[in-house]
DNA sequence: TCCGAGGTGTAATATTATGACATGGCGCCT
DNA sequence: AGGCGCCATGTCATAATATTACACCTCGGA
């Protein structure tokens, strides 16, 4: 995917009422990852990803297990296994601030620094890459001799939708 | 606690990566907060804070409960209550990436944006405020109309000590 | 054909966090 | 002094999140 090296940030499309993710796109990315690793993109993995994509919002692992349960009960551990695969594939991220998981729109290149903006009203998550943030982080790391490997950047706040029209 | 006779030719052992913080300073900050709120700085709160300060590293709540237990068993819920107070006082932070808690060196003003750098080798945490990161975050938020309230910024990586001489 | 890697289904357990409730101290008011 | 409100405590219970263990299955090579 093309970068904007000139811009300090790349905004997420501000579609106010988009709550779902492009399921096909994310699914083919997962499939591509599976193929590249010689691993199967199994039914369980597809089901978890499809559910998250359709939801468009973060879900707890047990919540996923519940939704996927029909005649047969889906156990949490099965969901965690699928989530692990999907996270490695870059199709799903974990929100550390609330121990939940969500499907991710876009491909994150190499060491791209992504900010998750989590709305405390409606729960929606937006992602945005920011070169400025990335440089800032490299900066503080450098001054302390710290070698950063994996950044976790989450903003809790209120999304545009909820600011303009307060919830229920 | 553990004291090793110096055996390494370089004179450094695992504890070298430990950065205990100024217990008196952090305690007086907690006390000041308590006074300002008209709340007591109780024995339990002091014990939890003192333990975290002495440790200098993040601890899980149950680990704290364990260490504080003597004849009487300290229950996790008591620790969580103390931690809640100490977090409000700004003396303790929670590491979302690992659900652990650590005592904090310095006073964070108003909306200061602080980065936690967590060493995956030795577990130590360093803090640094970055204006550049803060501006980057405001930037991405602005482009999406997101109103940021509380940022969580954690860098997992390797601290200077561990880069130069790995623990164990 | 056999073997091995990886997945599944199931049970059990570990870890993290909160809810509910009775009790006790302490300041404050009358 | 007596009563009241507020807050913290101690204790039990439970919710929510996450992992370990193990037997079995299935596919694709050697």
């Amino acid at each position: 995917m093309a970068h904007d090296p000139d811009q300090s940030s790349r905004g997420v499309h501000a579609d106010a009422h988009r709550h779902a993710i492009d399921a096909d796109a994310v699914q083919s990315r997962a499939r591509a990852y599976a193929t590249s690793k010689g691993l199967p993109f199994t039914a369980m993995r597809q089901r978890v990803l499809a559910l998250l994509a359709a939801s468009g919002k973060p879900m707890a692992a047990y919540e996923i297990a519940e939704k996927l349960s029909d005649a047969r009960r889906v156990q949490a551990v099965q969901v965690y296994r699928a989530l692990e695969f999907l996270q490695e594939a870059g199709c799903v991220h974990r929100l550390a601030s609330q121990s939940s998981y969500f499907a991710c729109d876009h491909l994150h290149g190499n060491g791209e620094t992504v900010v998750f903006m989590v709305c405390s009203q409606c729960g929606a998550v937006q992602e945005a890459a920011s070169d400025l943030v990335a440089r800032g982080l490299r900066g503080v790391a450098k001054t302390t001799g710290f070698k950063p490997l994996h950044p976790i950047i989450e903003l809790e706040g209120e999304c545009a939708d909820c600011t303009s029209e307060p919830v229920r």
Side-chain angles (χ1 to χ4, degrees), chain A:
Chain A
M1 207 40 252
H3 272 259
D4 284 338
D6 297 335
Q7 308 262 123
S8 66
S9 68
R10 181 188 63 192
V12 160
H13 178 40
D15 179 350
H17 298 305
R18 177 185 59 88
H19 287 311
I21 296 276
D22 184 338
D24 290 344
V26 75
Q27 175 152 335
S28 51
R29 282 210 287 118
R31 195 180 303 277
Y33 172 82
T35 311
S36 80
K37 291 286 184 180
L39 300 176
F41 185 41
T42 63
M44 195 62 187
R45 288 163 183 180
Q46 293 179 40
R47 292 174 71 195
V48 170
L49 181 56
L51 178 58
L52 282 176
S55 150
K57 288 186 183 176
M59 298 179 72
Y62 276 79
E63 194 184 348
I64 296 171
E66 180 114 6
K67 300 268 191 213
L68 291 184
S69 291
D70 41 31
R72 236 192 188 68
R73 175 95 197 145
V74 173
Q75 301 294 332
V77 66
Q78 305 175 260
V79 173
Y80 281 109
R81 291 195 283 230
L83 288 173
E84 182 180 358
F85 171 89
L86 294 168
Q87 286 176 266
E88 279 160 12
C91 296
V92 164
H93 299 300
R94 178 176 190 270
L95 274 187
S97 57
Q98 51 189 59
S99 298
S100 63
Y101 303 82
F102 66 100
C104 155
D105 253 333
H106 44 290
L107 186 57
H108 304 298
N110 15 33
E112 201 180 27
T113 299
V114 180
V115 178
F116 300 138
M117 288 169 283
V118 188
C119 179
S120 18
Q121 295 302 311
C122 70
V125 180
Q126 286 177 297
E127 303 180 50
S130 166
D131 191 51
L132 195 52
V133 171
R135 274 190 285 139
L137 292 179
R138 278 195 298 273
V140 292
K142 192 162 194 176
T143 65
T144 57
F146 187 87
K147 192 169 91 185
L149 295 178
H150 178 60
I152 296 177
I153 311 169
E154 299 176 17
L155 283 187
E156 296 176 7
E158 208 171 60
C159 72
D161 290 353
C162 291
T163 302
S164 59
E165 46 179 301
V167 268
R168 341 177 206 295

